[in-house]
Structure formats: structure tokens, C-alpha cells
Amino acid sequence: MQAPPPGPGSPEVKTMLSKVINEGLPLEERLRAASELKDASLDSMFGKEPQEYSAWLESFFKPCCEVLRKVEPQLQPSVPHQLRNAMLEFLNRLPQNDVFKLRAPELFELCLGVVRVDNHNNSLLAIKIMFDMLKAYKAQMEAQAEQFLELVTQLYKELPEVVRTELEVHSATGPPPPYATHGSVALLGCRSFRLIQELPLPVMFLAQMYPRLGALYQERVTLLMLEACKIPGPTAQTIHPSLMPVYTDLRTAQVKSLSYLGHTLRAIKQDVSSEVKKGLVS
């Protein structure tokens, strides 16, 4: 085993981290170490002083990110999935202070990639990490905010097709879909209705925080959410019984999108475009 790198933190925590990032170890051993990190105190990991945290980031931040770049995403319960999940949980614990500020864009890009290629569970964590950073570093992350809004528009554009492929094609009398066996891990994050539920609040925040982005995206997102709310989808009686949680997530996503629309349209009632008005009455 590689010797723990120098830097802050207890020897035990540094040993755990060294195991997690050591590509020569079996994934099971790396996962055990990553799971133990969840119980470690922040002081034992990063030290108590800003310079200690800075030294920790210098030693460990990029190797921790590399775990997510190199361990393949999974759509079923497995050791690789658990390791990726544990690393996202760990990255979510990183204090988002001035010391971390310069690392935020790299972690943001990493989380965007997670949402595009990983499963539902890990994608929800990635969305949380991104939104937390957008709130913590709003003065410096307008470019990342625009990337986030592009992701939102893409997910809403694809929603009608996702409803068809994830719900409508799996009839009540047909064979069970992968979800029946593997649960939410079987869903890609970018095809998860639960993830859609998490988008309206960040969109509202970003539109208020960045006037340029609000002017650029608000009408576009509003129209896409209007269309999302109109998707009839299947009835609960026609889908495979195992998919009822997915069906419920769809309806909840539509309700949350409708709530966003109500708030937004009240706020901009004097500036509602003819296209949005047409969408409201159609």
C-alpha cells in the first residue's frame, strides 16, 4: 500500500484516503475505506486552520475527483456504484469556504458529468453539490450558472420522450422493467423524474441572482415547464406495478414545475410574452 501523503488530518484518516485513491487496491477495500470516511470528523480530516485545509486540498482533492472519473457509473447495485456514491457523499462534506473557492469550478464540472452519465441516486447528490456551490460562490460562478440552466433546458426538452420510455412502454401486463429489480439505481439521473423535482428552486434562485441569465433563460424555461405540466403520461392502472414510485415522481415533478410557474408569472405579470400567454391557454 502507498504511504499516506503528508499534510493535515489524523494518520487514520490519511490512511483511509490513501486507500480510497489507490487504484492498485481492490474496489471492495477502497469502498470500505470510503465508507469509514463518512464517520470521520471534519477536524480530523481537514484540520482546524485555513492553511491546513488548503494543504489537504492540495494533496487529496484531485485524487478524490479522479475516483469519479475512472470508476465507471453503474445502473445496478454494485461495489463501483457504492464507491462512487461514497465519494460524492464525501465531496459533499467539503467545507465550501474561501479556501475551497478556486476548486469549485472543477467540482462543478465533475458533478455536471455525473448528472449526464450516472444513476438517479448519484445524480441527486451531484445536483445538491452544484446548487450549494452556486449559492456559496454566486459572485464568481455565473458561467457555471449558465451551464446549469442549459442542463435544465435539456432535461425539460427530453421529458416527453423520457415519460414514454420509462413509463408508457412498460405495461401493467408486460415483463418487469429493470427498476423492479434494482430500484432507483436502474434509472439514469438525466432520465429521473425525481431529479426534475429538484430543478425549479435553483432556476428561481439563478434567475434572481443573475439578471442577464434571467433575461436569457426565464422565458425559455417557462415554456418548457408549461409543456412538461401538460404531459398526460399513462394512468396508474396501465403501467407496471413496480413503477408506481416512478409514476408518483412524475406527477410530483409536474406539481413542482407548476408551482414555479405560478411564482414566476406573478413576478413578471407585466412582461409575459405573447408566446407564454399562448402556452397558458393552449
Side-chain angles (χ1 to χ4, degrees):
M1 187 185 72
Q2 297 174 346
S10 70
E12 295 82 3
V13 167
K14 287 194 286 186
T15 298
M16 290 178 213
L17 277 163
S18 296
K19 288 181 178 180
V20 171
I21 64 181
N22 187 347
E23 296 178 33
L25 292 178
L27 288 179
E28 291 81 1
E29 187 171 346
R30 296 170 71 185
L31 173 60
R32 282 194 295 273
S35 299
E36 290 172 6
L37 282 173
K38 292 182 181 180
D39 298 322
S41 73
L42 293 181
D43 283 350
S44 70
M45 282 192 280
F46 311 125
K48 296 182 179 181
E49 301 298 328
Q51 59 269 29
E52 292 181 288
Y53 185 32
S54 179
W56 185 95
L57 290 170
E58 190 66 34
S59 296
F60 288 111
F61 176 70
K62 285 186 179 292
C64 286
C65 291
E66 283 301 301
V67 175
L68 289 167
R69 293 189 179 103
K70 294 183 177 180
V71 177
E72 292 291 326
Q74 305 288 312
L75 294 180
Q76 59 185 18
S78 63
V79 171
H81 159 66
Q82 291 174 296
L83 179 56
R84 288 177 63 84
N85 185 264
M87 288 313 299
L88 283 164
E89 291 274 14
F90 177 69
L91 291 168
N92 186 43
R93 295 187 68 194
L94 296 180
Q96 294 182 4
N97 52 26
D98 283 345
V99 177
F100 186 75
K101 186 184 298 185
L102 294 178
R103 313 279 178 172
E106 181 176 351
L107 182 55
F108 193 94
E109 288 289 338
L110 185 68
C111 288
L112 272 179
V114 169
V115 173
R116 293 187 175 113
V117 302
D118 210 335
N119 61 57
H120 159 104
N121 300 30
N122 289 343
S123 296
L124 284 175
L125 264 174
I127 286 286
K128 180 184 184 305
I129 294 170
M130 285 191 287
F131 188 31
D132 285 346
M133 287 191 292
L134 288 169
K135 290 185 290 184
Y137 306 118
K138 47 186 178 287
Q140 71 169 58
M141 296 195 72
E142 185 168 353
Q144 287 75 23
E146 187 161 4
Q147 288 180 293
F148 189 92
L149 290 169
E150 280 294 328
L151 175 67
V152 171
T153 58
Q154 176 192 344
L155 295 177
Y156 271 99
K157 281 179 183 177
E158 295 172 355
L159 193 57
E161 175 63 13
V162 174
V163 171
R164 190 188 71 80
T165 57
E166 300 298 337
L167 281 177
E168 292 176 352
V169 301
H170 300 294
S171 68
T173 56
Y179 185 92
T181 305
H182 301 310
S184 57
V185 179
L187 298 174
L188 273 171
C190 59
R191 303 179 72 80
S192 164
F193 306 128
R194 180 76 174 277
L195 188 136
I196 294 290
Q197 295 175 27
E198 303 301 319
L199 300 180
L201 181 60
V203 169
M204 194 181 306
F205 171 82
L206 294 176
Q208 293 171 351
M209 183 54 55
Y210 303 105
R212 181 186 72 85
L213 296 181
L216 189 61
Y217 283 92
Q218 195 161 56
E219 181 171 322
R220 193 187 313 177
V221 172
T222 297
L223 288 167
L224 287 168
M225 287 191 182
L226 275 170
E227 292 305 310
C229 293
K230 295 176 188 176
I231 297 173
T235 64
Q237 292 72 33
T238 60
I239 61 170
H240 194 276
S242 67
L243 289 173
M244 275 306 298
V246 181
Y247 176 82
T248 302
D249 282 343
L250 168 64
R251 297 311 184 198
T252 304
Q254 289 177 307
V255 168
K256 289 194 174 185
S257 298
L258 191 61
S259 177
Y260 164 87
L261 290 172
H263 173 87
T264 299
L265 293 173
R266 282 194 299 272
I268 62 169
K269 57 186 176 182
Q270 302 300 325
D271 301 309
V272 176
S273 71
S274 58
E275 192 171 358
V276 170
K277 289 177 180 177
K278 182 179 177 182
L280 285 169
V281 300
S282 64

